[in-house]
Amino acid sequence: MSTIQTSSFRRQRDHFEPQDTDPHEQRRLRGLLEQIDYSAFVANREVIGQMLPKLDAAVFQRMAVVTATARAKWIAESLRQSESGAPSTPDQIARLAAARAAYEELAEAYEGLRRMVERSYVAIR
């Protein structure tokens, strides 16, 4: 199986690769799999298009700013904790972890939205 590296973790590709050596059976199976993939594409385009109907460049800019702000808050918190030179307390670590989680979630959402546009599930006006 192949993997795709995203910004924070690896995802496994879960596409079937036929092992049958009969070329007719492979073509039949590939045709069936293409129909399945197309059905998933249409479902994604319809459902996502209804839920996210108004996308434009400004949406991406707002998401980029919010994500950058969350990243800066995460790093600023780590710098604040390092100023004293003392080990971080459990409360400080919890704040740092929460800031990192916020940044990572926003970054993944941004990448997810970008993939939706890339795959034509939604259109940008």
Side-chain angles (χ1 to χ4, degrees), residues 58-112:
V59 169
F60 280 89
Q61 184 175 1
R62 284 192 307 270
M63 284 191 68
V65 169
V66 168
T67 303
T69 301
R71 177 186 251 176
K73 285 180 180 180
W74 169 42
I75 298 304
E77 177 63 26
S78 70
L79 293 173
R80 269 192 300 279
Q81 289 183 24
S82 70
E83 285 175 356
S84 71
S88 296
T89 66
D91 287 342
Q92 289 174 317
I93 294 298
R95 279 197 312 275
L96 186 61
R100 179 180 44 84
Y103 160 67
E104 288 177 351
E105 287 300 323
L106 287 165
E108 285 295 321
Y110 179 89
E111 287 300 317

Side-chain angles (χ1 to χ4, degrees), residues 12 27 36 42 55 65 68 75 77 79 82 90-91 119 121 124:
Q12 296 249 334
R27 275 194 295 279
I36 291 168
V42 170
L55 294 179
V65 169
I75 298 304
E77 177 63 26
L79 293 173
S82 70
D91 287 342
R119 295 176 180 169
Y121 297 157
I124 295 183

Side-chain angles (χ1 to χ4, degrees), residues 29-51:
L29 186 54
R30 285 192 198 282
L32 178 61
L33 292 172
E34 284 179 16
Q35 288 176 347
I36 291 168
D37 287 345
Y38 184 72
S39 295
F41 166 77
V42 170
N44 275 298
R45 188 175 60 196
E46 289 178 7
V47 171
I48 293 169
Q50 288 176 5
M51 292 183 77

Side-chain angles (χ1 to χ4, degrees), residues 55 60 112-124:
L55 294 179
F60 280 89
L113 182 58
R114 187 180 181 286
R115 279 190 302 274
M116 289 177 198
V117 171
E118 192 174 72
R119 295 176 180 169
S120 300
Y121 297 157
V122 293
I124 295 183

